[in-house]
Amino acid sequence: MGKTKQKDLPDLSHLAVAGGEIAVRVTPKASRNAVLPAAEAKSGQGVSLKITVTAAPENGKATAAVQALLARAMRIAPSDLELLRGATSRDKVFAYRP
């Protein structure tokens, strides 16, 4: 399956705030890559999103796919996103560090 087109992703550029935390719930091995809004984050901080990726959760492939997809939706470089928590969990927290 090909790369997700920019027009198919929501505009999350408003989340690109230095030091801002983005909580995501990941569904690996999905039929397509997508970014969907979800309820408020359980921790009470930041924004919570539901992200589905086609990558399998092995050797960090799904986490890397989530980071790349989230960066495309936020219109930033993937290297500007830092994984704070959840390397092996479905619940992950990224921080924007320009």
Side-chain angles (χ1 to χ4, degrees), residues 41-64:
K42 294 177 186 174
S43 62
Q45 326 172 343
V47 175
S48 179
L49 301 169
K50 181 178 179 186
I51 298 181
T52 61
V53 292
T54 57
E58 55 189 32
N59 300 326
K61 291 179 185 176
T63 301

Side-chain angles (χ1 to χ4, degrees), residues 22-45:
I22 302 109
V24 298
R25 175 82 172 177
V26 179
T27 303
K29 292 177 66 175
S31 61
R32 65 185 180 101
N33 293 331
V35 178
L36 307 166
E40 288 188 29
K42 294 177 186 174
S43 62
Q45 326 172 343

Side-chain angles (χ1 to χ4, degrees), residues 1-24:
M1 188 167 232
K3 219 177 188 184
T4 304
K5 293 183 173 68
Q6 189 70 39
K7 67 177 183 163
D8 295 334
L9 293 173
D11 182 12
L12 300 178
S13 58
H14 64 281
L15 298 179
V17 177
E21 292 186 1
I22 302 109
V24 298

